[in-house]
Amino acid sequence: MATESSVCNYSHNVTFFYDNVGKKIRDKWTARDYVVLVLGLTVCVVVVLANLMVMVAIFKNRRFHFPIYYLLANMAAADLFAGIAYTNLMLNTGPWTKTLTKTQWYIRGALIDISLTASVASLLAVAVERHQTILTMQLHSNMTNRRVVLLIVCIWAAAIIMGLVPSTLWNCECDLKDCSTVAPLYSRRFLIFWAALNLLTFFIMVVIYTRIFVHVKCQNEQMVQHTTANLKHSTTVVNLMKTISMVLGAFVICWTPGLMTLLLDGLLGEKSNATSYEKFCLVIAECNSLVNPIIYSLRDKDMRRTFKWILCCMFVRHADQQMLSSPIQMDFPLPKQHTIEFPQVSEDQALWKPQDSNNRWTGPAL
């Protein structure tokens, strides 16, 4: 009876599995590789900074303190994570692939899987939230912050689980005939399952948004007499829906080629010739993480104003720091010292903070 070590190829390195499917690892870097590496890392840096700015904008602007924007911030976090995942991929590709251990190779793939799963799950959560609120004629959901946090935690838990599945449960180390040509250590059956699941989720989200748009259109046609409030509410709902739909459309367009490549690779193996165009699909998928901040800035005036405010604060603070650290400033005479006498206040007065009309604790006015 054969032992497990003789059946499974646990002792072999990454190069063995690449040779098994006929995928060559180049020994030297070419000029084209360096160009791709530099451009890829540049895009990754922009992706991280742009999505970080989206998250800061939603945190800073009180107009965005609603469940829908919290979910959009979570999607920005997934895109930011994707930028980190692509950076790790760029720094561990080409001839560097030979230096990777199997654990490092699995981590490289898991980061991409986690970022995609988190993005898809966030989009699905946004679709369900919009479906519930708009069909009940509301602009924002009544979901509590605790439930939103719990939903976000569940999204990332599911994403991490999906990222760990190939390395722990579903790979081809014990069945070399089942190895993928795109990801030589992944099982082709897993790629079929993963790609089909994501494509099905895309289809479900498209159906949900189609139903929402039909409902909004019917409601607008049925309203004969519009008040100013109704018109403003309807316009706000439609604009928000258009923004989210553009985000969904960009996501589907950018990721569908890559998922179809994985699906064909899983179904046909080497006959799919997926290795010849997999990198182009990866570049398109990477661009998606950069598209969302652009959509937010073009479609949402409040988001665009918040972006400008963040950038102005950054540049003004940087300019102030340069002025304070400049030796030229020391040439001016220092102002005379003045003693300022503050009125005496009691301890109760010092701890008092104004309240608003709803008796909510607002803190000191700045």
Side-chain angles (χ1 to χ4, degrees):
M1 182 176 179
T3 61
E4 184 178 357
S5 60
S6 63
V7 176
C8 298
N9 300 274
Y10 296 134
S11 59
H12 292 286
N13 57 17
V14 172
T15 305
F16 169 82
F17 291 93
Y18 273 71
D19 293 338
N20 174 63
V21 297
K23 188 174 184 178
K24 296 182 179 179
I25 303 177
R26 291 190 299 273
D27 296 324
K28 297 182 180 179
W29 288 90
T30 62
R32 177 175 173 272
D33 293 332
Y34 284 115
V35 172
V36 172
L37 181 64
V38 172
L39 291 178
L41 291 176
T42 302
V43 172
C44 290
V45 172
V46 176
V47 165
V48 171
L49 294 178
N51 286 283
L52 181 61
M53 191 162 62
V54 172
M55 297 171 64
V56 173
I58 293 176
F59 174 77
K60 287 290 187 181
N61 195 334
R62 290 183 177 273
R63 293 176 180 267
F64 302 140
H65 290 186
F66 295 98
I68 178 64
Y69 289 104
Y70 294 149
L71 293 175
L72 291 177
N74 186 60
M75 190 166 62
D79 289 334
L80 186 150
F81 188 83
I84 298 175
Y86 288 126
T87 301
N88 180 73
L89 178 63
M90 291 291 177
L91 297 177
N92 293 282
T93 189
W96 288 333
T97 305
K98 290 184 177 181
T99 64
L100 298 177
T101 63
K102 286 193 296 184
T103 300
Q104 292 172 333
W105 191 93
Y106 278 126
I107 292 175
R108 188 186 74 172
L111 294 178
I112 301 294
D113 297 343
I114 291 172
S115 64
L116 173 60
T117 305
S119 296
V120 173
S122 297
L123 277 173
L124 182 59
V126 169
V128 174
E129 191 272 349
R130 287 293 86 191
H131 185 270
Q132 291 179 347
T133 54
I134 292 180
L135 265 63
T136 55
M137 300 300 294
Q138 296 178 350
L139 178 60
H140 295 293
S141 172
N142 294 325
M143 186 185 305
T144 62
N145 291 340
R146 180 177 297 180
R147 290 186 178 182
V148 175
V149 172
L150 180 61
L151 178 59
I152 292 175
V153 170
C154 291
I155 288 173
W156 283 99
I160 293 173
I161 291 174
M162 290 299 297
L164 294 178
V165 165
S167 60
T168 57
L169 300 174
W170 210 345
N171 52 59
C172 67
E173 292 189 42
C174 297
D175 186 5
L176 295 180
K177 296 181 180 179
D178 191 39
C179 290
S180 163
T181 56
V182 173
L185 275 77
Y186 277 20
S187 169
R188 289 167 53 188
R189 289 173 294 176
F190 170 75
L191 292 184
I192 295 173
F193 164 77
W194 194 65
L197 179 63
N198 284 285
L199 292 173
L200 178 61
T201 306
F202 288 176
F203 177 76
I204 293 174
M205 288 189 288
V206 171
V207 171
I208 291 175
Y209 281 109
T210 301
R211 183 182 178 187
I212 292 175
F213 272 114
V214 171
H215 175 78
V216 172
K217 184 177 180 180
C218 293
Q219 289 292 330
N220 291 338
E221 292 177 352
Q222 291 176 1
M223 295 175 63
V224 179
Q225 295 180 350
H226 294 276
T227 64
T228 303
N230 288 335
L231 286 174
K232 185 177 180 180
H233 179 273
S234 178
T235 302
T236 304
V237 170
V238 172
N239 289 338
L240 183 58
M241 283 303 304
K242 287 182 178 180
T243 301
I244 298 174
S245 299
M246 291 176 66
V247 172
L248 174 63
F251 192 87
V252 172
I253 292 173
C254 292
W255 274 103
T256 298
L259 293 176
M260 290 300 300
T261 299
L262 296 179
L263 184 61
L264 291 175
D265 180 39
L267 293 173
L268 303 177
E270 296 182 9
K271 297 180 181 179
S272 64
N273 197 26
T275 55
S276 61
Y277 50 85
E278 60 169 323
K279 292 185 178 180
F280 297 101
C281 296
L282 183 63
V283 171
I284 297 174
E286 181 182 2
C287 291
N288 175 251
S289 299
L290 184 61
V291 168
N292 291 341
I294 297 176
I295 294 176
Y296 297 145
S297 62
L298 294 178
R299 291 290 309 171
D300 196 314
K301 292 182 180 179
D302 288 333
M303 186 71 73
R304 185 164 59 249
R305 292 171 183 170
T306 309
F307 285 168
K308 292 180 180 179
W309 177 81
I310 294 173
L311 293 175
C312 288
C313 289
M314 292 174 58
F315 287 119
V316 170
R317 183 177 299 177
H318 180 67
D320 291 342
Q321 290 178 351
Q322 285 186 335
M323 291 177 63
L324 291 174
S325 61
S326 176
I328 300 177
Q329 299 296 324
M330 300 302 296
D331 295 336
F332 293 96
L334 296 176
K336 296 181 180 180
Q337 295 183 355
H338 296 278
T339 302
I340 302 176
E341 296 183 358
F342 293 95
Q344 297 295 327
V345 295
S346 63
E347 184 178 356
D348 294 336
Q349 290 175 332
L351 295 177
W352 179 84
K353 297 180 181 179
Q355 297 176 341
D356 61 7
S357 58
N358 295 324
N359 292 324
R360 293 179 299 181
W361 200 264
T362 57
L366 299 178

